Amino acid sequence: MTDQIAALTARIEGLEKRAQAAEDYRDLVNLQGAYGYFVDKGLWDKAAELFAREGSLEIAGRGVYVGRERVREYLHRLPPYGYGVIYNHMQLQPVLHIDCEAGTAKGRWRTLMMVGALGKEGRWGEATYENSYVREDGKWRIASLHGIVNFYSEYDEGWHRGGVPLLRSVEGAQPDRPPSFEYEAYPEPVIAPFHYDKV
């Protein structure tokens, strides 16, 4: 009887770990998806609240902004959402590695972007996110968001005619650290560093 109880206890503990892993995966997918939806609509404060207190943001080689309030400052420097503006940022193709006990995770995503303003510009874009996450106050938060832009192209010309050079700065928001690495987007080839070498 003792052996049976021990086996059942071990089985329950194993199932609890699997259930926790499934919940963490769901929560992380929801977290990254929420970021995309908030950015879509220029809801910069809601997007900033998804970051850990000491979280960081780095996009398009513009340098690293450290701390939730610096992330918020950067986001508020972006053009506002409104009439005639499109900022679609679809979060796709997740590869997640989660340490449930430590409350940390790493994730790789692809974002497909449609950005533009009526009468001004319309662009397709695509980027790779290499992010890290931390469980803070019982909730998953973005510890670091690193968006490596693979291409921007004018919607009416297509990528076969080349790409739009990356904008290297945001007016009025100087980064806290330089970019993690220097690169240019398409037609230059860029491979975002992987947080994993096997799955």
Side-chain angles (χ1 to χ4, degrees):
M1 192 66 163
T2 302
D3 290 343
Q4 290 177 327
I5 291 172
L8 286 171
T9 300
R11 184 178 180 189
I12 290 169
E13 290 174 351
L15 290 171
E16 287 176 342
K17 287 181 178 180
R18 291 182 65 183
Q20 184 64 57
E23 289 182 1
D24 287 340
Y25 182 91
R26 176 204 62 202
D27 291 347
L28 287 164
V29 169
N30 286 348
L31 174 65
Q32 190 66 39
Y35 169 83
Y37 280 115
F38 291 153
V39 169
D40 282 354
K41 304 307 178 190
L43 300 172
W44 310 130
D45 288 317
K46 288 184 179 293
E49 290 303 318
L50 300 177
F51 285 75
R53 285 184 290 272
E54 300 303 318
S56 66
L57 176 145
E58 178 180 3
I59 295 176
R62 297 173 188 162
V64 184
Y65 295 80
V66 181
R68 183 188 293 153
E69 296 313 309
R70 290 286 286 142
V71 170
R72 191 188 311 276
E73 180 184 349
Y74 169 90
L75 292 172
H76 274 281
R77 294 288 181 173
L78 300 177
Y81 178 74
Y83 175 78
V85 173
I86 290 179
Y87 278 150
N88 293 339
H89 280 66
M90 291 163 272
Q91 310 294 292
L92 309 167
Q93 203 174 338
V95 178
L96 292 168
H97 294 93
I98 308 167
D99 187 333
C100 299
E101 292 186 10
T104 59
K106 293 184 180 294
R108 188 179 184 90
W109 303 79
R110 168 167 287 156
T111 181
L112 181 62
M113 297 172 280
M114 300 164 61
V115 296
L118 188 64
K120 295 180 181 178
E121 63 186 29
R123 293 174 177 168
W124 288 102
E126 188 268 339
T128 301
Y129 283 125
E130 266 291 335
N131 298 347
S132 63
Y133 307 90
V134 63
R135 192 185 288 118
E136 188 172 85
D137 301 328
K139 292 184 177 181
W140 285 104
R141 290 290 178 255
I142 299 169
S144 65
L145 184 141
H146 188 184
I148 299 97
V149 175
N150 296 308
F151 82 87
Y152 271 120
S153 67
E154 303 293 355
Y155 87 96
D156 57 346
E157 294 183 13
W159 43 88
H160 67 292
R161 296 194 181 180
V164 177
L166 296 179
L167 179 65
R168 292 300 184 180
S169 63
V170 173
E171 187 176 349
Q174 294 299 313
D176 299 299
R177 297 198 302 259
S180 299
F181 67 98
E182 297 290 340
Y183 73 97
E184 186 51 74
Y186 178 83
E188 295 296 327
V190 58
I191 300 176
F194 288 80
H195 75 264
Y196 60 93
D197 56 10
K198 59 183 178 180
V199 293

Coordinates of all heavy atoms in Angstrom, one line a residue, residues 27-65:
D27 N -0.1 31.7 -20.6 CA 0.1 33.0 -20.1 C 1.1 33.8 -20.9 O 0.9 35.0 -21.1 CB 0.5 33.0 -18.6 CG -0.7 32.5 -17.7 OD1 -1.8 32.4 -18.2 OD2 -0.4 32.2 -16.5
L28 N 2.2 33.2 -21.3 CA 3.2 33.9 -22.0 C 2.7 34.2 -23.5 O 3.0 35.3 -24.0 CB 4.5 33.0 -22.1 CG 5.3 33.0 -20.8 CD1 6.3 31.9 -20.8 CD2 6.0 34.3 -20.5
V29 N 2.0 33.3 -24.1 CA 1.4 33.5 -25.4 C 0.4 34.7 -25.3 O 0.4 35.6 -26.1 CB 0.7 32.3 -26.0 CG1 -0.1 32.6 -27.2 CG2 1.8 31.2 -26.3
N30 N -0.4 34.7 -24.2 CA -1.3 35.8 -24.1 C -0.6 37.1 -23.8 O -1.0 38.2 -24.3 CB -2.3 35.5 -22.9 CG -3.3 34.5 -23.2 OD1 -3.5 34.1 -24.4 ND2 -4.0 34.0 -22.2
L31 N 0.5 37.1 -23.1 CA 1.3 38.3 -22.8 C 1.8 38.9 -24.0 O 1.7 40.1 -24.3 CB 2.4 38.0 -21.8 CG 3.4 39.1 -21.5 CD1 2.8 40.2 -20.8 CD2 4.6 38.5 -20.7
Q32 N 2.5 38.1 -24.9 CA 3.1 38.6 -26.1 C 2.0 39.0 -27.1 O 2.1 40.1 -27.8 CB 4.0 37.5 -26.7 CG 4.8 38.1 -27.9 CD 5.8 39.1 -27.5 OE1 6.4 38.9 -26.4 NE2 6.0 40.1 -28.3
G33 N 0.9 38.3 -27.1 CA -0.2 38.7 -28.0 C -0.8 40.0 -27.5 O -1.2 40.9 -28.4
A34 N -1.0 40.2 -26.2 CA -1.5 41.5 -25.7 C -0.6 42.6 -26.1 O -1.1 43.7 -26.5 CB -1.6 41.4 -24.2
Y35 N 0.7 42.4 -26.1 CA 1.6 43.5 -26.5 C 1.3 43.9 -27.9 O 1.2 45.1 -28.3 CB 3.1 43.0 -26.4 CG 4.1 43.9 -27.0 CD1 4.6 45.0 -26.4 CD2 4.5 43.6 -28.3 CE1 5.5 45.9 -27.0 CE2 5.4 44.5 -29.0 CZ 5.9 45.6 -28.3 OH 6.8 46.4 -28.9
G36 N 1.2 42.9 -28.8 CA 0.9 43.2 -30.2 C -0.4 44.0 -30.4 O -0.5 45.0 -31.2
Y37 N -1.5 43.6 -29.7 CA -2.7 44.3 -29.8 C -2.7 45.7 -29.3 O -3.2 46.6 -29.8 CB -3.8 43.5 -29.0 CG -4.4 42.3 -29.8 CD1 -4.2 41.0 -29.3 CD2 -5.1 42.5 -31.0 CE1 -4.7 39.9 -30.0 CE2 -5.6 41.4 -31.7 CZ -5.4 40.2 -31.2 OH -5.9 39.1 -31.9
F38 N -1.9 45.9 -28.2 CA -1.8 47.3 -27.6 C -1.0 48.2 -28.5 O -1.4 49.3 -28.7 CB -1.2 47.2 -26.2 CG -2.1 46.6 -25.1 CD1 -1.5 46.0 -24.0 CD2 -3.4 46.6 -25.3 CE1 -2.3 45.5 -23.0 CE2 -4.3 46.1 -24.3 CZ -3.7 45.5 -23.2
V39 N 0.1 47.6 -29.1 CA 0.8 48.4 -30.1 C 0.0 48.8 -31.3 O 0.1 49.9 -31.8 CB 2.1 47.7 -30.4 CG1 2.9 48.3 -31.6 CG2 3.1 47.6 -29.2
D40 N -0.8 47.8 -31.7 CA -1.7 48.0 -32.9 C -2.5 49.4 -32.8 O -2.7 50.1 -33.7 CB -2.7 46.9 -33.0 CG -2.2 45.7 -33.6 OD1 -1.0 45.6 -34.1 OD2 -2.9 44.7 -33.7
K41 N -2.9 49.6 -31.6 CA -3.8 50.8 -31.3 C -3.2 51.9 -30.6 O -3.8 52.9 -30.2 CB -5.1 50.3 -30.6 CG -5.8 49.2 -31.2 CD -6.2 49.5 -32.7 CE -6.9 48.4 -33.4 NZ -7.0 48.6 -34.8
G42 N -1.8 51.9 -30.5 CA -1.1 53.0 -29.9 C -1.5 53.1 -28.4 O -1.4 54.2 -27.9
L43 N -1.8 52.0 -27.8 CA -2.1 52.1 -26.3 C -0.8 51.9 -25.6 O -0.5 50.8 -25.0 CB -3.1 51.0 -26.0 CG -4.5 51.1 -26.7 CD1 -5.4 49.9 -26.5 CD2 -5.2 52.4 -26.3
W44 N 0.0 52.9 -25.6 CA 1.4 52.8 -25.1 C 1.5 52.5 -23.6 O 2.4 51.8 -23.2 CB 2.1 54.1 -25.4 CG 2.0 54.6 -26.8 CD1 1.7 55.8 -27.3 CD2 2.3 53.8 -28.0 NE1 1.7 55.9 -28.7 CE2 2.0 54.6 -29.1 CE3 2.6 52.5 -28.3 CZ2 2.2 54.2 -30.5 CZ3 2.8 52.0 -29.6 CH2 2.6 52.9 -30.6
D45 N 0.6 53.1 -22.8 CA 0.6 52.8 -21.4 C 0.3 51.4 -21.1 O 0.9 50.8 -20.2 CB -0.3 53.8 -20.6 CG 0.2 55.2 -20.6 OD1 1.4 55.4 -20.3 OD2 -0.6 56.1 -20.8
K46 N -0.7 50.9 -21.7 CA -1.1 49.4 -21.5 C 0.1 48.5 -22.0 O 0.4 47.5 -21.3 CB -2.3 49.1 -22.3 CG -3.6 49.7 -21.7 CD -4.8 49.2 -22.4 CE -6.1 49.8 -21.8 NZ -6.4 49.3 -20.5
A47 N 0.7 48.9 -23.1 CA 1.9 48.1 -23.5 C 3.0 48.2 -22.5 O 3.7 47.2 -22.2 CB 2.4 48.6 -24.9
A48 N 3.3 49.3 -22.0 CA 4.4 49.5 -21.0 C 4.1 48.7 -19.8 O 5.1 48.2 -19.2 CB 4.6 51.0 -20.7
E49 N 2.9 48.6 -19.3 CA 2.6 47.8 -18.1 C 2.8 46.3 -18.2 O 2.8 45.6 -17.2 CB 1.1 48.1 -17.7 CG 0.8 49.5 -17.2 CD 1.7 49.9 -16.0 OE1 1.9 49.0 -15.1 OE2 2.2 51.0 -16.0
L50 N 3.0 45.9 -19.5 CA 3.3 44.4 -19.7 C 4.8 44.1 -19.4 O 5.2 43.0 -19.3 CB 3.0 44.0 -21.1 CG 1.6 44.2 -21.6 CD1 1.5 43.8 -23.0 CD2 0.6 43.4 -20.7
F51 N 5.6 45.2 -19.1 CA 7.0 45.0 -18.9 C 7.3 44.9 -17.4 O 6.6 45.5 -16.6 CB 7.8 46.2 -19.4 CG 8.0 46.1 -20.9 CD1 6.9 46.5 -21.8 CD2 9.2 45.8 -21.5 CE1 7.1 46.4 -23.1 CE2 9.4 45.7 -22.9 CZ 8.3 46.0 -23.7
A52 N 8.3 44.1 -17.0 CA 8.8 44.1 -15.6 C 9.3 45.5 -15.2 O 9.6 46.3 -16.1 CB 9.9 43.0 -15.5
R53 N 9.4 45.7 -13.9 CA 9.8 47.0 -13.5 C 11.2 47.4 -14.0 O 11.4 48.5 -14.4 CB 9.9 47.0 -11.9 CG 8.5 47.1 -11.3 CD 8.6 47.2 -9.8 NE 9.1 46.0 -9.2 CZ 8.3 45.0 -8.8 NH1 6.9 45.1 -9.0 NH2 8.7 43.9 -8.3
E54 N 12.1 46.4 -14.1 CA 13.4 46.6 -14.7 C 13.5 46.1 -16.1 O 14.6 45.9 -16.6 CB 14.5 46.0 -13.8 CG 14.5 46.5 -12.4 CD 14.7 48.0 -12.3 OE1 15.5 48.5 -13.1 OE2 14.0 48.7 -11.6
G55 N 12.4 45.9 -16.8 CA 12.4 45.4 -18.1 C 13.0 46.3 -19.1 O 13.1 47.5 -18.9
S56 N 13.4 45.8 -20.3 CA 14.0 46.6 -21.3 C 13.4 46.4 -22.7 O 12.8 45.4 -22.9 CB 15.5 46.3 -21.4 OG 15.8 45.0 -21.8
L57 N 13.6 47.4 -23.5 CA 13.1 47.3 -24.9 C 14.2 47.8 -25.9 O 14.9 48.8 -25.6 CB 11.9 48.3 -25.0 CG 11.2 48.4 -26.4 CD1 9.7 48.6 -26.2 CD2 11.8 49.7 -27.1
E58 N 14.3 47.0 -27.0 CA 15.3 47.4 -28.0 C 14.6 47.0 -29.4 O 14.3 45.9 -29.6 CB 16.6 46.6 -27.8 CG 17.6 46.9 -28.9 CD 18.9 46.1 -28.7 OE1 19.0 45.3 -27.8 OE2 19.8 46.4 -29.5
I59 N 14.4 48.0 -30.2 CA 13.8 47.8 -31.5 C 14.5 48.4 -32.6 O 15.0 49.6 -32.5 CB 12.3 48.3 -31.5 CG1 11.5 47.6 -30.4 CG2 11.7 48.3 -32.8 CD1 10.1 48.1 -30.3
A60 N 14.8 47.7 -33.7 CA 15.3 48.2 -34.9 C 16.7 48.8 -34.8 O 17.0 49.8 -35.5 CB 14.3 49.2 -35.6
G61 N 17.5 48.4 -33.8 CA 18.8 48.9 -33.7 C 18.9 50.3 -33.1 O 19.9 51.0 -33.3
R62 N 17.8 50.7 -32.4 CA 17.8 52.1 -31.9 C 18.4 52.2 -30.5 O 18.3 53.3 -29.9 CB 16.3 52.6 -31.9 CG 15.7 52.6 -33.2 CD 14.3 53.0 -33.2 NE 13.7 52.9 -34.5 CZ 12.4 52.7 -34.7 NH1 11.5 52.7 -33.7 NH2 11.9 52.6 -35.9
G63 N 18.9 51.1 -30.0 CA 19.5 51.2 -28.6 C 18.5 50.6 -27.6 O 17.4 50.2 -28.0
V64 N 19.0 50.4 -26.4 CA 18.2 49.7 -25.3 C 17.7 50.7 -24.3 O 18.4 51.6 -23.8 CB 19.1 48.7 -24.6 CG1 18.3 47.9 -23.6 CG2 19.8 47.8 -25.6
Y65 N 16.4 50.6 -24.0 CA 15.7 51.5 -23.0 C 15.5 50.6 -21.8 O 14.8 49.5 -21.9 CB 14.4 52.1 -23.6 CG 14.7 53.0 -24.7 CD1 15.0 52.6 -26.0 CD2 14.7 54.4 -24.5 CE1 15.2 53.4 -27.1 CE2 15.0 55.3 -25.5 CZ 15.3 54.8 -26.8 OH 15.5 55.7 -27.8

